[in-house]
Amino acid sequence: MDKGDIFVVGLTGPTGAGKSTAAEEFRRQGYIIFNCDAIAREVIDGSPSCLKELKEGFGADIFFADGSLNRKRLAAKAFSSQEQTQKLNRITHPWIRREILERIEKIRRQGGGRIVLDAPLLFEIGLGPACHQTIAVLAPKALRLRRIMERDSLTEEQARARIQSQPADEFYRERVCMCWDGQEKPEILRRMVRDITRKGKEDGQYGEAPKTK
């Protein structure tokens, strides 16, 4: 890579599939990781206009008495139906996309680098065209259900609602350059990351242009 160049990997997939394991190995291989969920929280909390739209869309009770966002209550409403999830996305996605693209451009101006967008909603937010390569980590629903119940301290009902709000595996398969099996042992996922980064270095490139459906 020449100075000022960037290479962006879009790492996506449904919650609980194992994406975080792959992202951490990319970090070890020298990639800059953009945790898009964390960036989304920063963007929403830092934007009075976005918070106002959320209040209008989901009601004043999604806020605590001190005015801060009650994320659990918002999530309960937003994941209660596909229509509500789409409403949340319409409000928040333009703000999130703008911020992430600005951060990518900042890396370019600072001299370039290899970036991973760790983004469950990579395509829904509209970040697919910003990626040179896209990877989805997928896993069976039963395994994902158990993982997110343990990880996020959710009831089974809450975990199922979150899973049902996300696309089917075919959505990812139709859009990404490659799919990885997230039910494999963590070391296998890590080896996949190491293999793909090593191949990129050997070839002098880091993957094909992404699909942009």
Side-chain angles (χ1 to χ4, degrees):
M1 294 176 63
D2 296 328
K3 185 176 180 181
D5 286 346
I6 60 169
F7 183 84
V8 182
V9 176
L11 182 63
T12 190
T15 183
K19 183 168 49 58
S20 296
T21 299
E24 184 54 36
E25 186 59 33
F26 271 112
R27 187 192 304 278
R28 293 192 186 99
Q29 298 301 317
Y31 282 72
I32 301 164
I33 308 300
F34 285 5
N35 183 324
C36 294
D37 279 349
I39 293 173
R41 288 191 291 271
E42 293 176 23
V43 170
I44 293 169
D45 288 343
S47 173
S49 297
C50 184
L51 291 172
K52 180 181 178 182
E53 289 183 46
L54 288 172
K55 182 177 181 179
E56 292 171 351
F58 292 96
D61 63 336
I62 65 170
F63 292 90
F64 290 111
D66 64 1
S68 61
L69 185 62
N70 184 332
R71 294 186 178 280
K72 282 194 173 182
R73 184 162 294 176
L74 173 61
K77 290 189 174 188
F79 297 133
S80 64
S81 69
Q82 187 175 16
E83 181 181 2
Q84 290 292 85
T85 301
Q86 290 173 348
K87 181 196 297 184
L88 176 69
N89 294 345
R90 284 195 301 270
I91 293 171
T92 59
H93 284 181
W95 299 93
I96 299 165
R97 180 173 59 251
R98 185 183 305 118
E99 176 66 20
I100 292 171
L101 292 177
E102 287 177 358
R103 293 190 186 198
I104 292 173
E105 181 57 28
K106 183 178 180 180
I107 296 296
R108 186 196 302 274
R109 293 196 304 267
Q110 290 176 341
R114 292 176 293 168
I115 300 167
V116 167
L117 302 184
D118 180 355
L121 302 179
L122 181 76
F123 297 105
E124 295 91 328
I125 293 174
L127 291 170
C131 301
H132 298 85
Q133 186 178 64
T134 50
I135 301 167
V137 182
L138 305 176
K141 285 185 179 180
L143 176 60
R144 291 166 47 210
L145 182 71
R146 185 173 73 249
R147 284 176 175 173
I148 65 175
M149 287 174 64
E150 294 173 355
R151 183 192 67 197
D152 300 333
S153 300
L154 299 177
T155 66
E156 182 174 341
E157 182 180 2
Q158 290 170 326
R160 287 188 183 280
R162 187 167 296 184
I163 286 174
Q164 290 168 1
S165 73
Q166 296 184 314
D169 287 356
E170 193 60 30
F171 172 88
Y172 303 101
R173 292 194 180 100
E174 290 176 349
R175 289 164 172 79
V176 299
C177 298
M178 64 181 68
C179 293
W180 288 349
D181 187 352
Q183 67 181 323
E184 298 283 5
K185 294 180 179 179
E187 180 51 37
I188 294 179
L189 271 182
R190 296 187 189 106
R191 189 173 67 231
M192 289 177 180
V193 173
R194 293 194 295 271
D195 287 347
I196 198 173
T197 55
R198 183 176 61 251
K199 184 178 186 300
K201 292 174 183 177
E202 291 172 352
D203 294 347
Q205 60 184 15
Y206 295 87
E208 301 175 355
K211 301 174 185 178
T212 56
K213 288 184 181 179

